Every structure is written in C-alpha cells, then in structure tokens.
Amino acid sequence: GRVIREAAASHLALAGSHAPVFTVQDVVVQESGTLEVVAHNLAGDSKTEVFLAQATLADVAGWLAEWHGRSWTVFVDFPAHGAPSPWDRLRGPSRPRRPDSL
C-alpha cells in the first residue's frame, strides 16, 4: 500500500521513461543541521537549495522537477551511485551500479 502510493506520487522517473536528467554534485550538512544540495542540469546550469535535515530524495526530485518546469518526473544522478528509482524501496538496500549495468 504505502510504498506503492509513495512511488506513484514520486517525482523520480522510472527506467526507460523520458525525463530530464539532473546531477546532484554535492550535499553538505550545515552547522544548523540543514542540507545544502547543489545540482546541475545537462546544460551545465547549477542551483543550490537548502533542505531540512529530514528531507528525502523525493523532496530533492520535487525541487528539481519544479526547477525544470515542464516535467513531472526527473532522473537524479549521483556520480558515485547512479540514478535511483522510486521502486528502490521495494528492492532493499541500494548498491552502487557499475556504468556497464545501466
């Protein structure tokens, strides 16, 4: 129930879908406990947003979809870990994927 509803409401794009790609370049925990997220789009533009400490990947994806402005879903790439999916919670703990397995 709940996991499926969360996945359906997520701004994270599913593998094989058409959606813009953003790279999260850096996440910094500030002294205040907030998270500063730096992301880039494929054009090379960057934006920084501050999130509460309890922010989730879904929150970051929502911010990126809003930044894009024309897509409900986005791919979020983390250079060291690849692009997560809204179904990852059903698969268990995530593991970094090798580029040849994408």
Side-chain angles (χ1 to χ4, degrees):
R2 182 177 61 83
V3 172
I4 291 174
R5 283 192 303 277
E6 287 176 7
S10 174
H11 289 278
L12 287 172
L14 292 170
S17 61
H18 297 277
V21 177
F22 292 88
T23 299
V24 172
Q25 194 61 45
D26 204 8
V27 178
V28 178
V29 179
Q30 301 295 319
E31 285 186 29
S32 63
T34 59
L35 304 173
E36 183 179 275
V37 177
V38 179
H40 299 270
N41 62 19
L42 286 179
D45 302 322
S46 69
K47 267 193 162 182
T48 302
E49 184 72 20
V50 176
F51 292 89
L52 297 175
Q54 62 269 29
T56 65
L57 181 56
D59 297 324
V60 174
W63 163 62
L64 294 171
E66 184 179 308
W67 175 18
H68 185 269
R70 294 181 310 273
S71 180
W72 171 258
T73 60
V74 296
F75 287 104
V76 183
D77 181 58
F78 292 85
H81 300 290
S85 161
W87 297 112
D88 285 345
R89 288 185 57 184
L90 296 176
R91 292 187 200 125
S94 63
R95 295 183 186 100
R97 289 186 259 167
R98 293 184 356 204
D100 60 350
S101 66
L102 296 178

